[in-house]
Amino acid sequence: MYNIAMQESAVNLLQRIYGYDHFRGEQEAIIDAVVAGRDALVLMPTGGGKSLCYQLPGLIRDGVAVIISPLIALMQDQVNAMKQLGVPAAFLNSSLSMAQQTGIEHALRAGEIQLLYLAPERLLQQRTLGLLESLTVALFAIDEAHCVSQWGHDFRQDYLGLNLLHERFPDVPRIALTATADRRTREEIIQRLELSGAALFVSGFDRPNIRYAIATKTSPRSQLQAFLEYRQHEAGIVYCLSRKKVEDTAAWLSTKGYKALPYHAGLSAQLRETNQNRFLREEAVIIVATIAFGMGIDKPDVRFVAHLDLPKSIEAYYQETGRAGRDGEPAEAWMVYGLQDVVRLQQMQAGSDAPEQFKRAERHKLDAMLGLCEVTSCRRQVLLNYFDEEDHPPCGNCDNCQIPPKTWDATEAVQKLLSCVYRTGQRFGAVYVVDVLRGKDSDKVQQNNHQQLSTFGIGAELSEAQWRSIARQLVVRGLLAVDVEGYGALQLTDRSRPILRGEQTLELRKDELKPKSGGKKSRRSKRDIAPEHEALWQALRACRTRLAAENNVPPYVIFSDDTLQAMLADRPMSRMELLAIHGVGEKKLDNFGSDFIEVICQHTEVVQG
Ligand code: ADP
Ligand code: ZN
């Protein structure tokens, strides 16, 4: 039996294999529980370090650790990353030839593999279950465990079958992990995977290194361009709702000099794979994508996630933005949204033929999302409250904390808008109502004879954008409804009346309506390399790029930016010194140490003259 770690303590392994000196948060407690044979449910934010929680027990416990993960496309990278650390790992999926599969099965029987990655559908095949029953299984890790939940947003039918593990392998500990779990999802995971006896580890959901900013959509492209102005050297994701918009935006960004690639379910599998690989392997690639992109992407140095359209729930928003900054370095979650987004999502929901109860849940989630967009206090507090974390002070790292939005007494403007909706018969969308308010003498206005209305032209003092901002806020607050079955006509609600009658006043948010340039990079933005270190920094990166290509892995699998940065600061020139650097373990020292030492020596001699 091949086992690289039995008898060795977890913290030793952490240092020897990964080159890290201490555990983060609850990692150690989780590892201890699983090593002792207990089931565990781990809720930890993205970037918290979930992988170690099953990898280390997998090395310490006897037998092979089986990791169930929904995306076969990414297994190869995970396995390669483990191999770079000197850990024998493999995956079984349909991309392998028959001969390769037999080879892996043989290696498994010989006890030569310590981590085995499987998609759930593969695991549930009789052949696989039979194979596993003939082996010693160290543990089952169920990654992205929220996929078992129908209440959640990534439901996968195959995950439901995983409760069978409990029956077929009663003595093997199971560890389920996820980054998204509000209380209901969490309960569903426990129930469906039969984890009621499991040790529960809930880490805080906060991602303090991510800065949240949400602006009113005025001219999305110039807004995006302003946001990206100082980000030519950064990798990021831009999310759009439709495939067409994905392609248009990617093409447009390319003309602006960005390395922008499209990704959506309508592209060929081959092109999707190419674009995903370029995103993982090259530097500073922007992926423009629908939500089809991202699950399981564990690229640590994504510096921003931008939304050009509104996600339909806070869970979705938090998971998508959570793909930024897994390495813990400053990262940006940026979004523009407008009235049209609200109307579109409400219409999509109304048009679906889902059961009423489901629709109600969806509406509730959208309302929470809109609340996040409109809030004038700290956004992080809203996000964390949603995940039942209630005691956080204002964060200082969101747009509202940094530039508190102004509010104004909008009562009179709101009265004008509401009466204009009423006078035009509650049959028109916001664009038309605003035309009437501003006294625009268009053909359509003429046709309807609306230039005769008492509300025609009573709102000339505000711009179109300002009126749209007011309309949006009224819709979000339920003071106006959108006729979702029809053409998005605005209609009054019960709540409109007190304001129309002058019984209630209303403060609204004053939206910033001109695109601000991204301006100076965000406060704690990217590491700045001192000019005298620039040459070595570039040389270290070039060395990393070359080794990554030679080993067919992404650059960060060789060493993270953090590790290169530490080399820059400490200039290790011997193996001993290099081993002391964060992120340098035994195996990587052997494989890459001399290359980096050589680069450092060359550059250091030059500096010393
Ligand atoms: P998650 O799956 O929770 O999103 P990962 O397991 O991918 O997070 O870990 C995120 C990053 O943090 C990885 O680069 C990982 O190597 C690193 N990491 C994890 N645990 C530690 C630790 N104890 N010390 C230093 N870095 C760590
Ligand atoms: Zn804040």
Side-chain angles (χ1 to χ4, degrees):
M1 167 65 59
Y2 185 103
N3 193 316
I4 60 173
M6 280 216 296
Q7 312 297 327
E8 198 173 337
S9 78
V11 68
N12 258 353
L13 285 170
L14 180 75
Q15 292 161 354
R16 183 165 75 80
I17 295 187
Y18 296 83
Y20 299 146
D21 31 81
H22 52 82
F23 285 110
R24 277 193 198 151
E26 298 203 272
Q27 278 176 332
E28 191 163 23
I30 298 166
I31 290 165
D32 286 349
V34 178
V35 167
R38 276 199 77 180
D39 291 340
L41 173 58
V42 174
L43 312 181
M44 202 186 264
T46 311
K50 284 187 283 302
S51 326
L52 279 183
C53 299
Y54 54 80
Q55 289 165 354
L56 276 179
L59 301 184
I60 295 171
R61 282 179 63 88
D62 192 16
V64 57
V66 177
I67 298 127
I68 299 140
S69 152
L71 283 187
I72 56 177
L74 297 163
M75 286 181 186
Q76 177 82 61
D77 279 348
Q78 285 164 355
V79 166
N80 285 346
M82 291 320 292
K83 285 186 176 164
Q84 295 302 330
L85 294 176
V87 176
F91 61 86
L92 277 177
N93 67 34
S94 45
S95 73
L96 299 176
S97 70
M98 213 46 214
Q100 286 171 316
Q101 300 197 28
T102 322
I104 288 170
E105 287 177 16
H106 184 78
L108 282 165
R109 290 214 171 81
E112 290 169 0
I113 289 175
Q114 291 213 265
L115 302 180
L116 176 68
Y117 290 80
L118 292 174
E121 57 275 17
R122 163 64 65 136
L123 172 81
L124 297 173
Q125 287 169 11
Q126 284 313 323
R127 181 189 165 95
T128 317
L129 290 169
L131 171 69
L132 294 179
E133 273 168 342
S134 73
L135 305 171
T136 306
V137 178
L139 59 91
F140 289 105
I142 302 166
D143 207 3
E144 314 280 359
H146 61 278
C147 290
V148 78
S149 156
Q150 273 158 332
W151 159 262
H153 51 94
D154 281 326
F155 174 63
R156 306 218 160 192
Q157 191 70 35
D158 291 316
Y159 264 68
L160 288 179
L162 295 177
N163 61 350
L164 148 163
L165 293 177
H166 192 39
E167 292 146 33
R168 296 272 290 250
F169 302 87
D171 300 326
V172 178
R174 296 166 302 149
I175 168 171
L177 311 103
T178 177
T180 6
D182 51 293
R183 189 169 292 146
R184 278 193 59 179
T185 312
R186 184 189 317 172
E187 282 160 8
E188 217 180 323
I189 295 174
I190 292 175
Q191 181 224 329
R192 291 192 190 277
L193 294 178
E194 297 177 31
L195 281 170
S196 50
L200 179 63
F201 298 93
V202 186
S203 312
F205 268 72
D206 193 13
R207 302 284 312 278
N209 61 314
I210 298 182
R211 176 179 183 272
Y212 297 96
I214 301 178
T216 308
K217 197 185 277 186
T218 48
S219 47
R221 281 196 176 174
S222 15
Q223 289 174 294
L224 181 63
Q225 199 178 353
F227 170 70
L228 291 177
E229 198 178 335
Y230 292 95
R231 296 174 199 278
Q232 282 90 349
H233 303 294
E234 300 186 352
I237 307 174
V238 176
Y239 280 112
C240 307
L241 200 62
S242 74
R243 295 172 182 187
K244 178 161 186 331
K245 188 157 161 190
V246 162
E247 293 190 13
D248 293 350
T249 308
W252 172 75
L253 280 175
S254 302
T255 68
K256 298 287 170 197
Y258 293 90
K259 254 201 271 179
L261 306 173
Y263 189 106
H264 60 70
L267 298 175
S268 73
Q270 199 188 356
L271 185 56
R272 283 203 309 256
E273 195 182 319
T274 308
N275 289 354
Q276 176 169 311
N277 279 337
R278 288 191 58 191
F279 178 64
L280 294 175
R281 273 150 219 235
E282 295 175 21
E283 310 236 11
V285 171
I286 297 177
I287 278 275
V288 186
T290 59
I291 50 169
F293 179 78
M295 197 181 25
I297 296 282
D298 51 9
K299 182 177 166 62
D301 55 353
V302 176
R303 293 273 65 85
F304 64 86
V305 170
H307 280 93
L308 289 179
D309 292 300
L310 186 69
K312 60 187 169 63
S313 67
I314 287 186
E315 285 99 325
Y317 172 77
Y318 207 59
Q319 188 165 64
E320 284 150 26
T321 55
R323 292 175 183 133
R326 294 172 75 123
D327 53 10
E329 297 291 314
E332 198 86 17
W334 178 91
M335 177 162 83
V336 285
Y337 104 114
L339 178 59
Q340 201 45 43
D341 289 293
V342 184
V343 173
R344 193 191 305 115
L345 284 179
Q346 289 188 346
Q347 279 174 332
M348 272 167 54
Q349 286 182 359
S352 96
D353 42 19
E356 188 48 39
Q357 186 196 3
F358 181 78
K359 282 198 197 173
R360 210 173 311 128
E362 297 273 284
R363 268 199 301 276
H364 178 76
K365 290 183 179 195
L366 178 56
D367 285 346
M369 183 67 217
L370 295 174
L372 172 70
C373 294
E374 297 292 347
V375 71
T376 51
S377 56
C378 176
R379 301 218 194 254
R380 193 178 309 271
Q381 284 181 322
V382 176
L383 285 169
L384 294 172
N385 276 348
Y386 188 80
F387 296 110
D388 300 319
E389 285 185 32
E390 271 143 28
D391 299 324
H392 291 268
C395 74
N397 195 27
C398 72
D399 54 351
N400 285 353
C401 278
Q402 289 167 354
I403 309 170
K406 298 190 181 70
T407 58
W408 61 301
D409 181 350
T411 314
E412 196 184 315
V414 170
Q415 285 170 337
K416 288 181 182 174
L417 177 61
L418 294 178
S419 6
C420 193
V421 167
Y422 181 71
R423 299 264 171 229
T424 49
Q426 310 190 55
R427 291 184 293 123
F428 298 94
V431 175
Y432 183 82
V433 174
V434 170
D435 280 353
V436 176
L437 272 171
R438 302 192 69 244
K440 192 163 162 188
D441 216 354
S442 69
D443 290 350
K444 199 169 164 192
V445 171
Q446 291 283 347
Q447 269 166 30
N448 292 311
N449 217 11
H450 281 159
Q451 75 280 16
Q452 308 285 359
L453 291 178
S454 58
T455 54
F456 183 77
I458 56 169
E461 74 280 11
L462 297 182
S463 72
E464 236 171 82
Q466 284 168 320
W467 280 118
R468 291 179 65 78
S469 152
I470 296 171
R472 186 196 77 236
Q473 296 185 60
L474 295 184
V475 170
V476 169
R477 289 163 180 243
L479 290 163
L480 273 178
V482 175
D483 165 28
V484 284
E485 266 103 48
Y487 297 94
L490 295 177
Q491 296 171 336
L492 301 188
T493 70
D494 292 345
R495 289 199 232 167
S496 329
R497 310 213 186 284
I499 295 186
L500 271 174
R501 288 198 224 102
E503 293 162 11
Q504 190 188 325
T505 61
L506 194 62
E507 291 271 316
L508 289 183
R509 183 188 171 110
K510 209 177 226 170
D511 283 328
E512 182 73 51
L513 294 170
K514 284 193 208 68
K516 269 197 306 262
S517 148
K520 55 182 179 342
K521 289 178 275 177
S522 80
R523 273 183 321 132
R524 291 175 294 160
S525 187
K526 260 185 66 180
R527 46 192 116 237
D528 290 315
I529 305 296
E532 66 272 25
H533 294 155
E534 187 62 33
L536 175 54
W537 176 244
Q538 293 306 341
L540 289 171
R541 296 200 350 152
C543 179
R544 174 173 71 172
T545 308
R546 176 176 59 78
L547 292 170
E550 281 171 21
N551 288 276
N552 193 28
V553 292
Y556 59 81
V557 168
I558 304 294
F559 285 127
S560 70
D561 279 2
D562 235 23
T563 300
L564 292 199
Q565 184 85 9
M567 289 186 197
L568 195 63
D570 295 358
R571 308 218 165 193
M573 286 189 260
S574 68
R575 284 173 54 88
M576 277 294 281
E577 285 169 0
L578 190 55
L579 193 57
I581 298 275
H582 173 88
V584 183
E586 263 177 5
K587 185 74 178 183
K588 288 189 179 175
L589 179 70
D590 283 347
N591 288 348
F592 314 128
S594 53
D595 292 84
F596 284 93
I597 289 174
E598 198 181 311
V599 170
I600 293 165
C601 289
Q602 276 168 5
H603 282 263
T604 308
E605 278 157 18
V606 173
V607 170
Q608 285 168 347

